[in-house]
Amino acid sequence: MERNPETGNYRRYLAYFGTLNINVLHLRKPWVTAWWSAAFPGFGHLLLGNQIKGFILMLWEIGINMQSGINKSMVCSFTGRVDLSKQVLNPRWVLLYIPVYIYAVWDSYRKTIELNKEWVLAEWERAPIVSFKMGGMCLNHLDKSSPWLAMAWSMLMPGLGQLYLRRIPIGFLLLAGWVGLMYFSGVAEIVLVTMAGSNVQAWYSINSQWALFLPSFYCFAAYEAYVYSVEYNKLFDKAQRQWLERSYGTLRPSFCRATER
């Protein structure tokens, strides 16, 4: 008798379906998740599906980075003002920043290796994949999506690609984060002023402390949407294959008896 993954009879599952999100196990490269954690602590954990830890590390990165002045110091270093880069740093906060930053990189690398092992075992156990979930306020289902379209939506506005894939929590987190970063950095104002033809005036309104978060935030949203779209498509194929195997297995005896007659 087939066991239902909802009952907990299987030790590992390739995917968990909720009404607001789909969390999936798949093979990842440890150095990729470590790199994203280095670019922005929390991103590596979001890639692994550890969303709560990822959210907290992201808030930590923004809060401690702003207090320590690391981004502002980096901008001063890039522009050749080395003496000023030392002055804007707050050593009290920098010492609190370094250990957690190193931990985020190390933990995402270690966790990726462990989850790759779990993926191998989950593939071997072949637990059924639930491809539909409905609740009173929301429903979720597994279908084919376009990775390039998901990435394009996230490039238009970070978070939209995740909403396209029905990854509601992380989608609205990235959307809200992008709106906040654009507002506090003044980049939205710069775009408007530049479109009006006043390029020199535009750069005086930028807040470099906030603006330095934007590149990694923008690139991660596009990359994450593309990767999960690809993995959801693979999961859809596996779910279809499981269904065909179960249906064929149950229909085969009766079909053979009918042909023998």
Side-chain angles (χ1 to χ4, degrees):
M1 181 178 179
E2 183 182 281
R3 295 171 290 183
N4 190 333
E6 298 278 341
T7 63
N9 292 326
Y10 289 88
R11 295 186 64 186
R12 299 170 184 85
Y13 311 114
L14 285 174
Y16 172 81
F17 274 76
T19 55
L20 298 177
N21 191 26
I22 304 173
N23 216 348
V24 58
L25 277 179
H26 64 91
L27 281 179
R28 303 172 177 90
K29 295 181 180 179
W31 65 267
V32 173
T33 53
W35 188 91
W36 279 114
S37 288
F40 201 112
F43 282 173
H45 292 84
L46 292 183
L47 279 177
L48 295 174
N50 294 334
Q51 296 186 11
I52 294 179
K53 185 184 287 188
F55 294 166
I56 295 174
L57 286 173
M58 286 177 63
L59 292 175
W60 168 87
E61 161 67 14
I62 294 174
I64 303 297
N65 195 311
M66 293 297 296
Q67 294 295 325
S68 62
I70 291 178
N71 278 1
K72 188 178 295 184
S73 176
M74 291 173 62
V75 172
C76 293
S77 298
F78 295 158
T79 55
R81 296 173 292 175
V82 179
D83 293 335
L84 184 59
S85 67
K86 297 177 182 179
Q87 296 175 12
V88 297
L89 280 177
N90 188 330
R92 296 181 180 180
W93 288 101
V94 170
L95 291 177
L96 298 176
Y97 180 89
I98 296 174
V100 182
Y101 181 87
I102 296 174
Y103 167 80
V105 177
W106 170 82
D107 186 63
S108 61
Y109 184 91
R110 176 193 65 87
K111 196 66 176 178
T112 303
I113 296 175
E114 296 300 322
L115 288 180
N116 285 345
K117 297 176 182 178
E118 295 292 334
W119 176 85
V120 173
L121 295 174
E123 282 280 351
W124 180 79
E125 290 184 27
R126 296 176 60 82
I129 299 172
V130 177
S131 58
F132 186 86
K133 191 78 172 183
M134 179 182 291
M137 297 296 292
C138 191
L139 62 88
N140 201 356
H141 66 96
L142 190 63
D143 64 351
K144 286 280 188 176
S145 60
S146 170
W148 293 107
L149 183 59
M151 185 174 69
W153 277 116
S154 283
M155 292 179 69
L156 180 64
M157 184 79 169
L160 294 183
Q162 285 71 22
L163 296 181
Y164 165 67
L165 298 174
R166 295 176 297 281
R167 293 169 55 76
I168 306 302
I170 188 173
F172 279 112
L173 170 79
L174 293 177
L175 189 61
W178 182 254
V179 171
L181 292 178
M182 288 288 286
Y183 177 81
F184 289 110
S185 66
V187 172
E189 183 179 352
I190 291 172
V191 173
L192 292 175
V193 174
T194 303
M195 292 174 63
S198 181
N199 296 331
V200 178
Q201 180 186 352
W203 288 103
Y204 287 106
S205 60
I206 191 171
N207 187 325
S208 59
Q209 183 81 346
W210 287 96
L212 212 57
F213 291 124
L214 292 174
S216 56
F217 204 94
Y218 184 82
C219 294
F220 172 79
Y223 174 81
E224 202 265 359
Y226 182 90
V227 167
Y228 269 90
S229 179
V230 171
E231 295 303 325
Y232 285 173
N233 289 343
K234 294 179 182 178
L235 193 66
F236 178 85
D237 292 338
K238 289 179 182 178
Q240 289 291 93
R241 184 165 60 249
Q242 286 186 357
W243 182 83
L244 290 173
E245 289 174 352
R246 292 196 301 269
S247 300
Y248 179 75
T250 56
L251 294 176
R252 186 177 181 181
S254 59
F255 175 78
C256 291
R257 287 194 295 268
T259 54
E260 289 173 357
R261 294 173 185 170

